[in-house]
């Protein structure tokens, strides 16, 4: 679902810029995933 929010097409025409764009999208998705993972703490 998050990929759809970022757009499914690459905006850049140059290959090197496309690679950078995909890396940025992956970093954003990883950040969204990290924010959504709960922290568990052992009690006792």
């Amino acid at each position: 679902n998050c990929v759809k929010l970022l757009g499914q097409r690459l905006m850049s025409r140059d290959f090197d810029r496309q690679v950078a764009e995909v890396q940025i999208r992956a970093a954003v998705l990883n950040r969204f995933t990290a924010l959504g993972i709960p922290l568990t703490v052992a009690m006792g």
Side-chain angles (χ1 to χ4, degrees), residues 17-38:
R17 292 178 192 253
Q18 285 178 351
V19 171
E21 187 175 342
V22 169
Q23 289 175 342
I24 291 169
R25 288 181 185 201
V28 169
L29 287 174
N30 288 337
R31 181 68 177 151
F32 283 157
T33 302
L35 289 173
I37 296 175

Side-chain angles (χ1 to χ4, degrees), residues 3 5 9 25 29 34 43:
V3 175
L5 293 176
R9 294 186 181 186
R25 288 181 185 201
L29 287 174
M43 299 296 287

